Amino acid sequence: MHYQGLKFRHLAHSNHSATITGMDSCIRKPLIATCGQDKSVRIWNYKTNSLELFKMFTEDVFSVALHPSGMQVLVGFSDKLRLMNILLNDLSMVTDFDVKACREVRYSNGGQFLAAASGSSGGTVVHVFNSYSFEPVINLRGHTGKVKSIFWSNDDSKMVTAGLDGAVYEWNARDGKRVDHIQKTCLYTSAVILDDNKTIFAVGSDKKIKEIAGSEVVTTVPSHATVTQVAASHSNKLVYVGTESGLLRLYRLPLTNNESHEVLAHSAPVTRLRISHDDQFLFGASDDGSLYISEVKSKDLKSRKVTEEQLYTDLEQVLVYRNEMEEKVTNLETMRQRYEDLTMEHDYQLKLKDMAYAEKAKEAEEKANYNVSQWKIKHEALVHEKEEIEKESNRLLSEQKAHYEKKVIDTEEKYRLQVVEEVERYQALLKSKEELHSQFQRSLENLNSQHERTMMELRDSYESTYRESVAKLEDNKKDFEEMTREFDETRVQIEDDADREIEQQKHEYEEKLALEKQNALRLKGENNLLVKKYSNQAKEIETLKEEISNMTTNKKQLMHQIHQHIKEIAGMKKEIKDRDDTLADKEVRIFDLKKRNQELEKFKFVLDYTISELKKQIEPLNSEIVDLKEQIKQMDHELERYHKSTGMLEMTVKELRNKNETYQREIADTKRRAINAENHVKRIRTDLHELMQILSEPHALKDRVKELYHKHVDVHVQEVQVDADIQKEYSRQREYLEKNLASLKKQLAKETEKHRSDSIRIRQENMQLIAEINTLRREMKDMQTQHKDKELLFITQKKKVRETPLDDDDRFVRTTQSASGARGGLREEDKMIQIQREEIKRLRRTIQNLEGQLKPRSPYSLPAMVLDD
């Protein structure tokens, strides 16, 4: 099987494979962040129901919190609490906080603070940090058990915490003061504060929902299962709770009754419960690894003050690395340049093809003109032949018309006699019809009389049968009355016997009933005694059951705490071991990085020097590249104009081809009709020749003329008028095509003149370039002659110095000065000559490239130049 052409897409997003330990939502984006025991962090979009980001870690992930802007996320690990930026497809580390095994973390509603419960100190301390400066603000101490819930008030002035020590604290976020609510019999797992900053709802292990105000429990609502999480809407109208059985319940405020609406969302205990900032969505997470998203529609919810477009203005904004963006921009620029190069090459190939097609179109046009001239000659011959055939046909038609008029008169006389005979025959038939009608009337009267006699006989037989049946019916009635009288007597006797038996049985049963009543009174007294004993024993059993359940609950709590401490000890040991290994690896890596950094610094110095040199070499070439680009743009415009004119010519050629095909079809039809007419005339001539052979025999001549009439005249009577119309249409079409052909010839002459002017202009540009090259040649020759003159001058000066007698000191000084001056001049001249040579080579390459581009464009281009060094 071949799979190259198949395209696959994800049927569903990957979910957590273990318990979800943390969940949070933000305000400015429709995002949810979750983490679980599968060591992964996932970012979800609850508007599109899609997974935005997914990342696995090597360490255990305990908690997660989203910044209200949706740009950053806090993740709690065993060793640190790390702050990460949410990039397009990754999480980038920003900083970390020294909070170990953080299982509860929460951003404030404004995003300026973050609160985290430390796991290193038994999870009893809540650390508050500034989320912008990353500095600690305050440490909240007071819990003696693990903190299981952190919740900020709407204005971030207060914070509510709940723990397994049975305490719910309301903290002042500025000075750290608290309001206590302690109930040691309940292990609190979640608490929230309403937007009024007064009412707190808390849930725990006592299977109750508690409303707390002023450190006092105001309202308590019992639940059939242990409640693990609680969330409240921002409208202060609804409260949502999650249970250990996976149910989600909704309660209306105030909690005056136990009415609720519940949904089975999970198959395991609910671990996290959140509601979106606009109260439109409810999110639940569970031990079964599933994420539940529900849209909330209720008249109790407050209406939105802002639209989704205003709220989610940052939805399309993401964070990316600068180097990644620069690399993408560079790649995009490279691809754009490559696209432009390919476009230019493709346009050039198209232009070459257009030129080839133009030549083919010209050849086809010449061939079509030649064919049209030939067809015109043939058409004229056919027209002449057609006129002769029409004259002959008209003559034959007139002769046959006179013959058939005489034949019509004879036929009318014959049919008039036949009509008279038919009228006489009709009169005879009418008389015979009247005789038959009188016979039919007599037979009908006979049949009616016979029918009446038969009906009288049948009526007499049926009346005798009816009288016999009435007599039998009277006898049956008398028998029935006698049997009814006997039945009534028997029924009266049976009723008397039944009454006597009923009285006898009634007396017996009344005696038995009196005995049973006495026995029932005695048993009732004994039953009351037994009921009292049973109620006393049931009360004792209930008391014992309550004591046993309390002891079992205390035992479970103690065992849970023991297991938690054992896990924490093992985790801390593992953490210490991992940190030691990590430190050793990091030290080795730091040493390697230092060595590599030294090597890279050396390499950087060399590269900087090389880059500076290359920049100096590139700068003079940029201006030349700009000029060449301008020339190329101008040439592109010219080529586009040529392409348009070629397209118009192609359309014209196509129209001419279509018209040519139409002419060919019309000529073929005309030829076919002419051949048919010629064959028809030949047949008529043959028949007339045969007719002349029997001219002396009148009867045979008459029959033969009739055959010829049926054979020839009935078929072609209307063809003369049709051929005349076709001739008129043909002449009109011919005039129209001649006019079109003349206009096309004018257009072709204009285009030829346009191409000629373009070729002259290109030739002039080539001449200008040749003149510039000759000027550069002359300058180069002048410089060479100057160089030679300077060399001769230097030689002559040396000879004069040798011939002139000087002191040793003066001779040494002059020789040194002249030699140094000559060397300096030679060095400068050599540099100038080298620069001029490179410039000349560059100009040659430019001219060759331009000639290569101009060659296929016009047949009037100059031949390529071969320049000597």
Side-chain angles (χ1 to χ4, degrees):
M1 295 177 69
H2 300 284
Y3 298 98
Q4 285 80 358
L6 297 179
K7 294 183 180 180
F8 298 94
R9 63 181 179 84
H10 291 289
L11 186 62
H13 300 292
S14 59
N15 297 318
H16 286 280
S17 58
T19 300
I20 297 177
T21 57
M23 182 179 69
D24 197 11
S25 62
C26 63
I27 298 174
R28 298 304 301 278
K29 290 185 178 183
L31 299 179
I32 317 167
T34 59
C35 66
Q37 292 182 358
D38 56 358
K39 302 180 181 179
S40 69
V41 174
R42 301 167 194 262
I43 308 295
W44 309 81
N45 189 321
Y46 59 82
K47 285 290 184 182
T48 61
N49 294 327
S50 60
L51 180 64
E52 294 279 338
L53 184 60
F54 163 72
K55 187 168 184 179
M56 294 291 296
F57 295 93
T58 57
E59 306 173 70
D60 291 333
V61 184
F62 297 114
S63 59
V64 68
L66 267 177
H67 193 272
S69 66
M71 294 292 186
Q72 292 180 329
V73 62
L74 280 167
V75 183
F77 294 95
S78 58
D79 57 343
K80 296 283 186 180
L81 175 65
R82 292 185 174 89
L83 176 64
M84 300 182 180
N85 282 332
I86 301 175
L87 304 181
L88 182 61
N89 53 7
D90 195 10
L91 296 177
S92 171
M93 177 74 177
V94 178
T95 186
D96 55 18
F97 301 94
D98 192 14
V99 180
K100 297 180 181 179
C102 176
R103 297 182 182 274
E104 290 294 328
V105 62
R106 195 73 177 257
Y107 269 108
S108 63
N109 294 309
Q112 71 274 27
F113 299 114
L114 62 94
S118 173
S120 59
S121 58
T124 60
V125 181
V126 178
H127 305 276
V128 181
F129 297 91
N130 189 308
S131 60
Y132 298 112
S133 63
F134 311 133
E135 295 179 354
V137 177
I138 194 171
N139 294 330
L140 305 178
R141 303 178 185 274
H143 285 281
T144 58
K146 274 192 176 182
V147 176
K148 296 294 290 183
S149 175
I150 300 174
F151 194 87
W152 291 86
S153 64
N154 187 38
D155 58 358
D156 295 338
S157 62
K158 296 180 180 180
M159 185 170 55
V160 175
T161 60
L164 296 177
D165 55 353
V168 177
Y169 293 141
E170 179 184 340
W171 305 86
N172 189 317
R174 296 177 182 175
D175 53 13
K177 293 182 180 180
R178 72 183 185 193
V179 178
D180 299 348
H181 167 73
I182 300 174
Q183 187 176 359
K184 293 297 183 180
T185 59
C186 177
L187 306 179
Y188 287 109
T189 56
S190 181
V192 296
I193 184 171
L194 298 184
D195 287 354
D196 58 2
N197 290 351
K198 297 178 181 179
T199 307
I200 299 173
F201 286 92
V203 296
S205 60
D206 59 352
K207 301 181 181 181
K208 295 178 181 178
I209 304 170
K210 297 175 183 176
E211 181 181 353
I212 303 171
S215 73
E216 296 293 334
V217 177
V218 178
T219 308
T220 301
V221 176
S223 176
H224 300 294
T226 302
V227 182
T228 57
Q229 292 291 316
V230 64
S233 66
H234 296 85
S235 61
N236 298 338
K237 296 291 185 181
L238 302 173
V239 171
Y240 308 92
V241 298
T243 66
E244 65 178 359
S245 61
L247 286 173
L248 295 181
R249 289 180 181 161
L250 181 147
Y251 293 90
R252 297 183 185 275
L253 297 180
L255 297 174
T256 56
N257 51 34
N258 295 340
E259 293 183 1
S260 65
H261 177 71
E262 62 182 26
V263 177
L264 182 59
H266 301 284
S267 61
V270 178
T271 57
R272 298 287 172 180
L273 196 62
R274 294 285 187 272
I275 191 164
S276 62
H277 182 71
D278 56 0
D279 292 342
Q280 299 294 320
F281 291 90
L282 177 68
F283 315 113
S286 171
D287 277 343
D288 57 6
S290 64
L291 174 64
Y292 178 79
I293 302 175
S294 175
E295 187 175 1
V296 180
K297 293 182 179 180
S298 175
K299 61 183 180 180
D300 295 331
L301 298 177
K302 62 182 180 181
S303 60
R304 282 185 171 183
K305 295 182 180 179
V306 294
T307 61
E308 287 189 4
E309 289 78 8
Q310 295 172 338
L311 182 62
Y312 300 141
T313 53
D314 300 337
L315 181 59
E316 300 299 329
Q317 298 179 7
V318 294
L319 301 175
V320 293
Y321 289 113
R322 182 185 292 275
N323 55 359
E324 289 183 2
M325 184 58 69
E326 291 175 352
E327 183 179 356
K328 288 181 179 179
V329 171
T330 305
N331 292 335
L332 184 62
E333 184 66 24
T334 305
M335 295 299 291
R336 188 184 64 78
Q337 187 65 33
R338 184 179 176 189
Y339 170 73
E340 291 177 355
D341 296 340
L342 291 173
T343 305
M344 290 175 63
E345 183 178 357
H346 183 258
D347 292 340
Y348 178 67
Q349 295 294 333
L350 284 176
K351 288 162 187 174
L352 291 177
K353 290 181 181 179
D354 291 341
M355 293 176 68
Y357 289 148
E359 293 178 359
K360 291 181 180 179
K362 188 176 180 181
E363 293 176 359
E365 186 179 359
E366 292 175 355
K367 188 176 180 181
N369 292 332
Y370 175 74
N371 291 333
V372 168
S373 63
Q374 294 294 323
W375 290 334
K376 284 180 180 179
I377 296 168
K378 292 179 181 180
H379 178 68
E380 290 174 358
L382 289 170
V383 168
H384 181 68
E385 188 177 355
K386 176 177 172 288
E387 290 175 354
E388 293 179 353
I389 292 169
E390 285 178 353
K391 290 178 182 178
E392 185 67 22
S393 298
N394 290 331
R395 185 181 63 77
L396 293 171
L397 182 63
S398 61
E399 292 176 357
Q400 290 179 2
K401 186 175 181 181
H403 171 72
Y404 285 116
E405 285 177 354
K406 183 179 179 182
K407 186 178 178 181
V408 166
I409 293 168
D410 295 340
T411 306
E412 286 179 354
E413 183 63 26
K414 179 182 177 182
Y415 283 118
R416 188 178 63 77
L417 296 174
Q418 289 180 359
V419 168
V420 171
E421 293 176 358
E422 291 295 329
V423 169
E424 293 175 354
R425 185 181 172 191
Y426 171 75
Q427 295 294 335
L429 290 172
L430 187 61
K431 290 178 181 179
S432 63
K433 173 180 172 286
E434 290 176 354
E435 293 176 356
L436 289 172
H437 181 68
S438 61
Q439 292 176 3
F440 173 74
Q441 289 292 336
R442 288 193 294 273
S443 63
L444 182 62
E445 291 175 358
N446 295 330
L447 288 172
N448 286 332
S449 61
Q450 187 179 359
H451 175 69
E452 289 177 358
R453 288 193 298 271
T454 306
M455 288 297 293
M456 291 294 291
E457 293 174 358
L458 290 172
R459 189 180 295 111
D460 294 339
S461 63
Y462 284 130
E463 285 179 356
S464 61
T465 306
Y466 174 73
R467 285 192 293 272
E468 292 176 359
S469 300
V470 169
K472 289 180 181 180
L473 182 62
E474 290 294 333
D475 295 338
N476 290 330
K477 281 184 179 180
K478 291 178 182 178
D479 295 339
F480 176 74
E481 290 176 357
E482 186 176 355
M483 292 174 68
T484 302
R485 189 171 55 258
E486 292 177 357
F487 172 75
D488 290 338
E489 293 176 357
T490 307
R491 180 172 58 80
V492 170
Q493 292 177 2
I494 292 170
E495 286 178 356
D496 294 338
D497 295 338
D499 291 338
R500 285 194 299 272
E501 291 178 359
I502 289 168
E503 289 294 332
Q504 185 178 357
Q505 290 179 1
K506 181 179 178 182
H507 182 68
E508 293 177 357
Y509 283 122
E510 285 178 353
E511 292 178 354
K512 290 180 180 180
L513 181 62
L515 294 173
E516 292 294 333
K517 283 182 179 180
Q518 293 177 0
N519 293 330
L521 290 172
R522 182 173 53 79
L523 293 172
K524 190 175 182 181
E526 294 176 357
N527 187 28
N528 290 331
L529 294 173
L530 292 173
V531 166
K532 289 180 181 178
K533 290 180 181 180
Y534 177 75
S535 60
N536 293 330
Q537 290 177 358
K539 289 179 182 178
E540 292 177 359
I541 291 168
E542 288 293 330
T543 305
L544 293 172
K545 282 183 179 179
E546 288 180 358
E547 292 177 358
I548 291 168
S549 63
N550 293 330
M551 293 174 71
T552 305
T553 305
N554 293 330
K555 182 181 178 182
K556 286 182 180 178
Q557 292 175 0
L558 292 172
M559 291 298 292
H560 182 69
Q561 291 179 1
I562 291 167
H563 287 304
Q564 291 290 335
H565 289 310
I566 291 170
K567 287 182 181 178
E568 289 177 1
I569 290 167
M572 294 178 72
K573 287 181 179 179
K574 183 180 178 182
E575 181 184 352
I576 292 167
K577 185 178 179 181
D578 293 340
R579 292 186 70 178
D580 291 339
D581 296 339
T582 305
L583 288 172
D585 294 337
K586 286 184 178 179
E587 288 176 357
V588 174
R589 189 178 177 188
I590 289 167
F591 179 73
D592 295 337
L593 290 173
K594 284 181 179 178
K595 289 178 66 178
R596 189 176 177 186
N597 192 20
Q598 292 176 358
E599 295 175 357
L600 290 173
E601 286 179 355
K602 295 177 181 178
F603 187 60
K604 180 183 176 184
F605 177 75
V606 175
L607 288 175
D608 290 338
Y609 179 75
T610 307
I611 289 167
S612 62
E613 293 294 327
L614 290 173
K615 285 182 178 179
K616 291 178 182 178
Q617 295 176 10
I618 289 168
E619 286 175 358
L621 298 174
N622 289 331
S623 60
E624 298 175 5
I625 291 168
V626 171
D627 296 337
L628 290 173
K629 284 183 178 179
E630 290 295 328
Q631 293 179 6
I632 289 167
K633 285 181 179 178
Q634 293 175 1
M635 293 176 181
D636 287 339
H637 293 315
E638 293 175 5
L639 290 173
E640 288 177 1
R641 189 157 46 82
Y642 293 152
H643 183 64
K644 290 179 180 178
S645 62
T646 306
M648 293 174 66
L649 289 173
E650 283 182 355
M651 291 175 65
T652 306
V653 170
K654 188 175 181 182
E655 291 177 359
L656 288 173
R657 284 177 181 170
N658 294 332
K659 292 174 182 177
N660 188 12
E661 291 175 358
T662 305
Y663 291 154
Q664 287 180 354
R665 287 194 296 271
E666 290 178 357
I667 291 168
D669 293 339
T670 307
K671 284 181 179 180
R672 189 174 62 254
R673 287 196 298 271
I675 291 168
N676 293 334
E678 185 177 357
N679 293 332
H680 188 215
V681 170
K682 287 180 181 179
R683 288 195 298 272
I684 291 171
R685 286 176 181 174
T686 305
D687 294 335
L688 289 174
H689 180 70
E690 292 176 355
L691 187 65
M692 293 299 292
Q693 301 297 326
I694 58 172
L695 191 62
S696 59
E697 299 176 3
H699 294 288
L701 180 62
K702 183 179 179 180
D703 296 335
R704 185 61 179 165
V705 169
K706 286 181 180 179
E707 290 179 3
L708 291 176
Y709 176 78
H710 291 297
K711 183 177 181 181
H712 298 292
V713 175
D714 293 341
V715 179
H716 298 285
V717 173
Q718 301 296 329
E719 282 193 357
V720 176
Q721 185 64 29
V722 174
D723 289 340
D725 293 339
I726 290 172
Q727 178 63 25
K728 290 179 182 178
E729 180 65 22
Y730 174 75
S731 61
R732 190 175 64 79
Q733 292 290 338
R734 181 181 175 182
E735 291 176 0
Y736 173 73
L737 290 173
E738 286 176 353
K739 290 180 182 178
N740 282 344
L741 186 60
S743 64
L744 289 173
K745 284 181 179 178
K746 291 180 182 178
Q747 187 177 357
L748 182 61
K750 288 182 182 178
E751 292 295 331
T752 305
E753 182 64 25
K754 194 175 182 180
H755 281 291
R756 190 177 65 79
S757 62
D758 291 338
S759 65
I760 291 170
R761 182 177 55 77
I762 293 167
R763 191 185 303 143
Q764 290 175 356
E765 291 178 356
N766 288 338
M767 294 296 292
Q768 290 177 2
L769 291 172
I770 291 168
E772 291 179 2
I773 291 166
N774 292 330
T775 305
L776 292 172
R777 280 181 181 173
R778 287 194 296 272
E779 291 178 357
M780 187 176 68
K781 286 181 181 179
D782 294 339
M783 292 178 71
Q784 287 177 355
T785 55
Q786 290 177 7
H787 179 64
K788 289 179 181 178
D789 293 340
K790 287 182 180 180
E791 287 182 350
L792 290 172
L793 180 63
F794 177 69
I795 293 168
T796 54
Q797 285 178 356
K798 285 179 76 176
K799 288 181 180 180
K800 288 180 180 179
V801 169
R802 289 175 184 172
E803 293 173 357
T804 305
L806 294 172
D807 295 337
D808 294 336
D809 294 335
D810 294 338
R811 189 180 299 159
F812 177 75
V813 171
R814 287 183 181 182
T815 304
T816 305
Q817 289 176 354
S818 61
S820 61
R823 290 194 197 97
L826 286 172
R827 288 197 202 96
E828 292 177 358
E829 294 297 331
D830 290 338
K831 287 181 181 179
M832 290 295 294
I833 290 167
Q834 187 66 28
I835 290 169
Q836 293 295 330
R837 285 178 179 172
E838 291 177 356
E839 183 68 19
I840 289 166
K841 289 180 181 178
R842 184 186 63 76
L843 290 171
R844 284 176 183 164
R845 289 194 298 271
T846 305
I847 291 166
Q848 290 174 358
N849 292 332
L850 292 172
E851 287 176 350
Q853 294 177 0
L854 293 172
K855 267 182 185 178
R857 192 172 297 126
S858 175
Y860 303 102
S861 298
L862 292 174
M865 294 185 299
V866 180
L867 303 176
D868 297 331
D869 295 335

